[in-house]
Structures are given as structure tokens and as C-alpha cells.
């Protein structure tokens, strides 16, 4: 019985994609991000993708990228990534990887998930390469047409 109720609590792909876009846009507009740089949304979960899914399944992506505000050398990638993680946590996301293992002085990475909605965000912030800020959000995989 619990397996059936857990499945019925999972949002539809359409609902998950809508939340993905809403949360992604909140992150992009947040003071945590705008203090570090400016990003442009390049994909708003508007098409199905089979990347990373089993055959017959699809997911949706939210992508944004941009650069540090000038002068770029005053921005700390790990601090900027940590601030964005804080914003995602305020939106109901949990950290799922210890970013201390994934960063150095030129790289900050956060990986967080809203398990109820089945949405994951990866935020990468780096010095020395453009774009400096990259955000990728994705839904879980769903049966095509489901």
C-alpha cells in the first residue's frame, strides 16, 4: 500500500517541470547569485530529453550560465556556490554531495535535491574559464507520455 501511495505523491512531469523552472528562476534572481554575477537562462524545461534516462523515459532540464560581476578576481567560487546552495536549501532542497570534496580555490560545486519533487540542481562556479557560473537543474525520469 505504501508503494502505491508513494507513487501517487510523485508529481507529474508537467508539474515537476513547472517547479523546476520556478525554482531555477528564483535562484537566478536571488541576491545570492546576483551578488556574484549575472546569468542568462538558456533552457526552461520546455522539451523532453532522453539523456540519462532508461529507454522510453524522458526528463526536463533548466539551464543557466553567466559570468562574475567585474572585477572577477574578487569572487570566491566556493563562497558563491555555498551562497547558492543556501538559497536552494531555503527552497526545500537538501545537499546530496559534500562540496568540500568537489572544490578547490578555483572551483565551487553544489549538488542538491528536492526528493519530494524529484528535482536535482548542480551549480558550478569557477575562476579562469567562462562561463564562470553554470546551473543545471533536472527532473527525475518519467515514462514517455506519462
Amino acid at each position: 500500500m505504501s508503494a502505491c501511495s508513494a507513487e501517487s505523491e510523485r508529481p507529474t512531469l508537467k508539474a515537476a517541470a513547472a517547479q523546476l523552472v520556478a525554482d531555477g528562476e528564483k535562484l537566478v534572481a536571488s541576491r545570492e547569485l546576483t551578488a556574484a554575477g549575472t546569468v542568462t537562462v538558456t533552457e526552461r524545461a520546455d522539451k523532453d530529453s532522453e539523456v540519462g534516462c532508461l529507454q522510453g523515459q524522458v526528463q526536463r532540464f533548466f539551464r543557466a550560465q553567466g559570468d562574475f560581476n567585474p572585477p572577477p578576481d574578487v569572487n570566491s567560487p566556493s563562497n558563491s556556490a555555498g551562497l547558492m546552495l543556501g538559497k536552494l536549501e531555503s527552497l526545500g532542497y537538501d545537499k546530496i554531495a559534500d562540496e568540500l570534496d568537489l572544490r578547490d580555490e578555483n572551483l565551487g560545486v553544489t549538488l542538491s535535491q528536492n526528493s519530494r519533487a524529484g528535482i536535482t540542481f548542480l551549480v558550478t562556479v569557477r575562476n579562469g574559464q567562462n562561463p564562470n557560473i553554470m546551473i543545471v537543474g533536472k527532473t527525475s525520469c518519467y515514462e514517455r507520455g506519462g
Side-chain angles (χ1 to χ4, degrees), residues 67-84:
D67 294 311
F68 285 131
N69 294 327
D73 57 339
V74 301
N75 292 288
S76 163
S78 60
N79 287 346
S80 297
L83 289 171
M84 287 182 248

Side-chain angles (χ1 to χ4, degrees), residues 113-124:
Q113 183 178 54
N114 180 326
S115 56
R116 185 189 56 74
I119 299 171
T120 303
F121 272 95
L122 171 68
V123 176
T124 305

Side-chain angles (χ1 to χ4, degrees), residues 5-128:
S5 64
E7 183 65 30
S8 66
E9 291 176 17
R10 181 178 177 190
T12 63
L13 177 58
K14 182 178 179 178
Q19 182 171 348
L20 172 65
V21 171
D23 291 347
E25 289 180 346
K26 287 175 187 171
L27 178 61
V28 166
S30 71
R31 63 182 163 83
E32 291 84 355
L33 191 148
T34 58
T38 304
V39 301
T40 302
V41 176
T42 59
E43 185 173 348
R44 282 191 166 81
D46 52 0
K47 62 183 178 194
D48 291 344
S49 173
E50 296 174 349
V51 174
C53 294
L54 297 174
Q55 186 172 357
Q57 295 183 337
V58 295
Q59 62 184 343
R60 301 276 179 95
F61 285 89
F62 176 93
R63 298 177 200 272
Q65 64 182 30
D67 294 311
F68 285 131
N69 294 327
D73 57 339
V74 301
N75 292 288
S76 163
S78 60
N79 287 346
S80 297
L83 289 171
M84 287 182 248
L85 172 63
K87 179 60 179 178
L88 287 165
E89 288 175 333
S90 77
L91 295 173
Y93 289 79
D94 297 313
K95 177 174 65 172
I96 58 174
D98 185 359
E99 70 274 4
L100 293 174
D101 292 336
L102 303 173
R103 68 175 166 188
D104 62 27
E105 65 186 41
N106 293 310
L107 177 67
V109 178
T110 67
L111 185 60
S112 56
Q113 183 178 54
N114 180 326
S115 56
R116 185 189 56 74
I119 299 171
T120 303
F121 272 95
L122 171 68
V123 176
T124 305
V125 185
R126 60 191 180 176
N127 283 330

